[in-house]
């Protein structure tokens, strides 16, 4: 009947109006991420998330500061840590366990050759990068943790930089072989700017987690973003996970 058609149309208009209202009032997800991970992986890959979820706005807070999730406006954080033991009142979802590779520029490898092994680098120049924060410094493997015996000559064959980004830049400039996590070097490997100086790899001492408040109200946008991360970073997971 005419009345039934009108009623159905009014119902559809009401639903459409609600959808528009939700879209206008939809709050951005604010995700806290370390500057290095944001620059090297998240920002270059974020477009893939928008292809599946074009109406979910995401704001990236690039910082290493600890989020309290109470008055800082942060919905979730992507953090690298040894385990999820310290996630009190938080939900920690494992994203991946990095592996550490030795990499160098093509020019360096052409001149000096590849490393015979990670534990026996021979006369190669070695480049290290440290975390900026005290709590993270002990977690990253550097050459002194890997090389057997007393083979590192500080004066002529070893350089240490304040962070991993500078170590990567040094490797790109041909200053030696750097130990870096594979998620950080993907684009440079694909573009040919750096190469694996040896096929061996070592599991990192830390893992990558998606952390959010356990007492927060269910948020379908946040769940969608988390699940996208889990799926997208699956290629970096290793067997021991």
């Amino acid at each position: 009947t005419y009345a039934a058609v009108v009623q159905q149309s009014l119902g559809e208009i009401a639903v459409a109006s609600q959808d528009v209202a939700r879209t206008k009032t939809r709050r951005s997800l604010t995700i806290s991420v370390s500057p290095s991970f944001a620059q090297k992986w998240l920002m270059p890959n974020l477009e893939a998330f928008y292809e599946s979820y074009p109406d979910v706005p995401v704001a990236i807070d690039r910082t290493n500061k600890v989020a309290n999730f109470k008055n800082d406006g942060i919905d979730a954080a992507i953090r690298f840590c040894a385990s999820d033991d310290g996630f009190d009142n938080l939900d920690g979802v494992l994203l991946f366990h990095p592996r550490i590779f030795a990499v160098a520029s093509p020019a360096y490898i052409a001149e000096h050759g590849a490393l015979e092994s990670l534990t026996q680098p021979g006369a190669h120049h070695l480049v290290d990068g440290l975390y900026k924060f005290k709590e993270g410094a002990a977690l990253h493997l550097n050459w002194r943790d890997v090389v057997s015996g007393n083979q590192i000559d500080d004066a002529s064959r070893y350089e240490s930089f304040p962070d991993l980004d500078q170590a990567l830049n040094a490797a790109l400039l041909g200053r030696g072989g750097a130990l870096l996590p594979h998620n950080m070097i993907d684009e440079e490997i694909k573009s040919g700017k750096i190469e694996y100086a040896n096929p061996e790899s070592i599991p990192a001492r830390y893992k990558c987690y998606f952390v959010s408040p356990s007492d927060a109200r269910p948020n379908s946008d946040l769940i969608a973003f988390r699940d996208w991360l889990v799926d997208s970073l699956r290629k970096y997971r290793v067997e021991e996970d």
Side-chain angles (χ1 to χ4, degrees):
T1 66
Y2 177 76
V5 171
V6 171
Q7 186 70 26
Q8 180 181 353
S9 297
L10 290 173
E12 291 173 352
I13 291 171
V15 170
S17 298
Q18 290 173 1
D19 289 342
V20 170
R22 274 197 297 268
T23 299
K24 287 183 177 180
T25 59
R26 202 170 204 161
R27 189 177 69 84
S28 296
L29 293 177
T30 301
I31 310 298
S32 176
V33 187
S34 67
S36 179
F37 187 74
Q39 177 185 350
K40 292 298 180 183
W41 191 89
L42 184 56
M43 299 305 293
N45 287 279
L46 197 56
E47 186 62 32
F49 174 76
Y50 288 132
E51 289 176 3
S52 299
Y53 301 94
D55 297 326
V56 179
V58 179
I60 304 301
D61 181 33
R62 291 183 279 192
T63 180
N64 283 310
K65 293 180 180 178
V66 176
N68 61 35
F69 303 110
K70 295 178 181 178
N71 53 17
D72 54 10
I74 302 299
D75 295 297
I78 299 173
R79 286 292 180 264
F80 293 88
C81 46
S83 72
D84 59 358
D85 292 343
F87 295 161
D88 296 333
N89 300 317
L90 299 172
D91 288 329
V93 175
L94 176 64
L95 295 176
F96 69 100
H97 183 182
R99 295 195 71 85
I100 308 299
F101 287 87
V103 295
S105 70
Y108 178 88
I109 293 176
E111 181 178 353
H112 301 279
L115 277 69
E116 291 186 12
S117 75
L118 299 187
T119 58
Q120 303 284 338
H124 280 281
H125 297 260
L126 305 177
V127 175
D128 264 334
L130 303 176
Y131 283 125
K132 294 179 180 178
F133 292 88
K134 183 178 179 181
E135 61 268 27
L139 293 179
H140 183 67
L141 286 167
N142 58 46
W143 282 111
R144 295 188 184 280
D145 300 315
V146 176
V147 174
S148 301
N150 186 23
Q151 300 181 52
I152 297 179
D153 182 345
D154 285 348
S156 62
R157 294 190 292 107
Y158 180 75
E159 286 185 278
S160 181
F161 292 90
D163 56 55
L164 298 183
D165 288 322
Q166 293 186 55
L168 173 58
N169 287 334
L172 289 168
L173 292 172
R175 298 182 70 136
L179 287 177
L180 296 167
H182 58 338
N183 60 284
M184 188 176 178
I185 56 177
D186 251 4
E187 293 304 314
E188 284 76 9
I189 291 288
K190 290 176 183 176
S191 66
K193 293 179 180 178
I194 57 173
E195 299 176 358
Y196 294 113
N198 185 281
E200 299 174 36
S201 67
I202 306 168
R205 292 171 175 166
Y206 54 87
K207 298 179 181 181
C208 182
Y209 292 88
F210 184 83
V211 184
S212 59
S214 56
D215 58 355
R217 280 188 280 178
N219 184 328
S220 59
D221 290 349
L222 190 63
I223 293 171
F225 186 73
R226 180 202 65 194
D227 291 349
W228 171 77
L229 283 171
V230 170
D231 185 62
S232 300
L233 292 165
R234 196 178 305 279
K235 63 181 178 179
Y236 296 121
R237 295 177 74 97
V238 292
E239 293 180 2
E240 51 264 50
D241 291 340

